[in-house]
Amino acid sequence: MAITQALASSFKQELLQGVHNFSASTGDTFKIALYTSSATLSSATTAYTTSGETTGTGYTAGGQTLTNLGVSLSGTTAYLSFDNVTWTTATITAAGALIYNSSKSNKAVAILSFGGSYSSTAGNFTVTFPANTSTTAIIILN
């Protein structure tokens, strides 16, 4: 079992089909769910799953809703990122995460590998997203 960081292959196809709307104010709702090292997530992941999902105090199945910073364009590069997300007073462990579109049948967007397991004990567990720039955003289309 492994978590491999990638954009979901199905997401790439769905972008060309117009499935996902990333408009900041009127777009779809995107969520992030946390997973333990027992999860199997990769570019082949097509939708949110509870298999291997983190459990514990302060964490609800399905994760949290993300705040979309909106789509931007710099030259020929389109990009977007999200605000950081925090689970407060949480006692959890996670090795990765899945960003998914809860407005569209929980379709997978991106798989994040944390490179190891991280824990919080009755404290904050934060996923920090990269800056929303054309070279660092979480989703970049060149």
Side-chain angles (χ1 to χ4, degrees):
M1 294 177 227
I3 299 174
T4 305
Q5 185 149 317
L7 285 179
S9 295
S10 57
F11 168 70
K12 295 174 187 178
Q13 180 180 23
E14 292 158 1
L15 274 180
L16 296 177
Q17 295 168 335
V19 172
H20 302 277
N21 181 348
F22 283 97
S23 298
S25 59
T26 59
D28 296 336
T29 299
F30 294 89
K31 291 189 171 186
I32 184 169
L34 300 177
Y35 291 85
T36 67
S37 60
S38 69
T40 301
L41 300 170
S42 69
S43 62
T45 302
T46 60
Y48 162 75
T49 178
T50 58
S51 180
E53 188 173 8
T54 295
T55 59
T57 304
Y59 184 83
T60 302
Q64 288 194 34
T65 299
L66 291 167
T67 300
N68 179 349
L69 297 178
V71 176
S72 297
L73 185 66
S74 177
T76 59
T77 302
Y79 59 94
L80 73 93
S81 200
F82 301 97
D83 275 340
N84 298 341
V85 61
T86 300
W87 286 263
T88 58
T89 319
T91 300
I92 56 178
T93 298
L98 173 67
I99 298 172
Y100 66 97
N101 186 340
S102 66
S103 298
K104 302 293 184 209
S105 304
N106 295 332
K107 293 180 180 290
V109 172
I111 296 84
L112 308 177
S113 172
F114 298 160
S117 292
Y118 292 88
S119 299
S120 63
T121 303
N124 290 345
F125 188 101
T126 301
V127 175
T128 303
F129 283 94
N132 194 26
T133 72
S134 62
T135 57
T136 60
I138 197 71
I139 298 175
I140 298 172
L141 302 176
N142 291 320

